[in-house]
Amino acid sequence: MLLVNNIQENLEKYVEGLTKRGITDGAKLLNEVTDLDSQRKKTQQQLDEIKSKSNQLAKQIGQLFKEGKRDEAEAAKAETAQLKEQDKSLSEQLNTIQNELINKLYNIPNIPHPSVPAGKSEDDNEVIKVNENNKPSLHDGAKPHWDLIAEYDIIDFELGNKVTGAGFPFYKGHGARLVRALVNYFLDEAQKAGYIEVQPPILINEDSGYGTGQLPDKEGQMYGITDSNLFLIPTAEVPITNMYRDVIVSENDLPIKHAGYTPCFRREAGSWGAHVRGLNRLHQFDKVEIVQIADPAKSYELLDEMVAHVEKLVNSLELPYRILRLCGGDLGFTSALTFDFEVYSAAQEKWLEVSSVSNFENYQANRLKLRFKNSDNKKQLAHTLNGSALAIPRILAAILENNQTPEGIKVPKVLQTYVGTDVIKK
RNA sequence: AGAGGAGUGGCAGAGUGGUCGAAUGCGGCGGUCUUGAAAACCGUUGUACCGCGAGGUACCGGGGGUUCGAAUCCCUCCUCCUCUGCCA
């Protein structure tokens, strides 16, 4: 969340940032926050004073008892009643104010980076690079992947419907093999790039949800385990970044780089429709995520590095792709700057989002209390970054569609040893 | 899952109602000594919030309670250890 102390100092910038996101009453929101904060300070001062008096009095009473001055002690005891009442009432006030303040802060998104274009929706995202070198020319009768998977019997949606529900497919035979190949390939590449692999839990608690910003903003996106008060992760970002919740790392350890493979679970409430077919949108999918904990001075450099990493992956899979800089309206709640990668899926003639690479600056770190000791030996909030590298199903969709031939589906070179064949046949 | 035990500062560990933000040791930092280092000795050393400052407040696993006063007593939750049971 935003740092209250910085809001007052940079009010104009903050309002401008929120406006970019399409929040028109930003000034009002921010003023409410700073007002609440001064109320908080005032109330706490009053409360501290009352507590100070109570503490003094309690010491005196102890002393009086020791000296055997019972009557005086009892008299002093009577005096504390009033203080207690004031204490109680002020504590309640303070509590209310603090809750209100934190709720307000939870509901204000991150301030976009200056380079983020204004805009309302994904239509306003800025295409910063298009690489169509690998755009295929498909043979007559080329099919979208939902037909291919049935024809090759490699992914079974019906079976998923039966066993779980819509959006939970079974991958079979070469389909399962392809998923595993992609996961392994992505993890191996991440390792080569210096990311330490972790295999995190795929259930997280509420604190973790708040730490990275899924709560309270996106509660409806996650599946909840209600009897244990846990959530299925929507992305490995959540458990991996939360490894560093309430942690003070040393400057020498930065940047901290982690990669992790997990299944991801998303309810996608309200986003289901006819345009979402096959692998384009699922409730459960596999993803390799890369995460960095960074020195604020270097985080944008590292963001570029992560974008380059993802670009290399997409290139190596011989897929046409483009890179987008998300506009204010499409930017994630906690992000300051996000680049999306889309690959071209040739039979459905669609760009599919396969990666989102973001710098959250200190927005998550502030919630996480993730800090490092800087060269002055002072504690400072770190920056957090993450990116998909990559999400599997849409990559798979594009590979199936783009690589189809009348003889079978060609396996990209980099995957052949993982899959164990260079072509998948019926 | 059941029974028992335990959770205190970076670590170890004392503290069972007031003089405790907390002994002591280790570690860290600064110094004396030394050509340098070690040893020894001396000093210093938690975090957050409020305040220009003096200083104040809170924090002994989390939350709640009793009390004029709680690390200490009570309730509750969490975690760890031991034993028993169950299970990839």
Side-chain angles (χ1 to χ4, degrees), chain A residues 147-159:
Chain A
D147 289 336
L148 292 170
I149 61 175
E151 200 174 313
Y152 285 83
D153 193 26
I154 51 176
I155 301 177
D156 196 327
F157 281 91
E158 290 304 314
L159 214 47

Side-chain angles (χ1 to χ4, degrees), chain A residues 81 89 126 135 171 189 231 257 296 298 330 392 394 421:
Chain A
S89 125
E126 181 189 341
K135 213 164 184 176
Y171 301 82
E189 290 302 303
F231 297 88
K257 300 168 75 175
K298 293 179 187 142
D330 205 25
I392 309 289
R394 292 177 186 162
T421 179

Side-chain angles (χ1 to χ4, degrees), chain A residues 2 12 52-54 62 68 91 94 104 109 272 321 361 406 424:
Chain A
L2 300 180
E12 253 175 70
S52 175
K53 279 186 196 162
S54 299
S91 294
L94 183 64
K104 283 243 156 60
W272 225 257
Y321 65 92
E361 298 190 359
I424 293 169

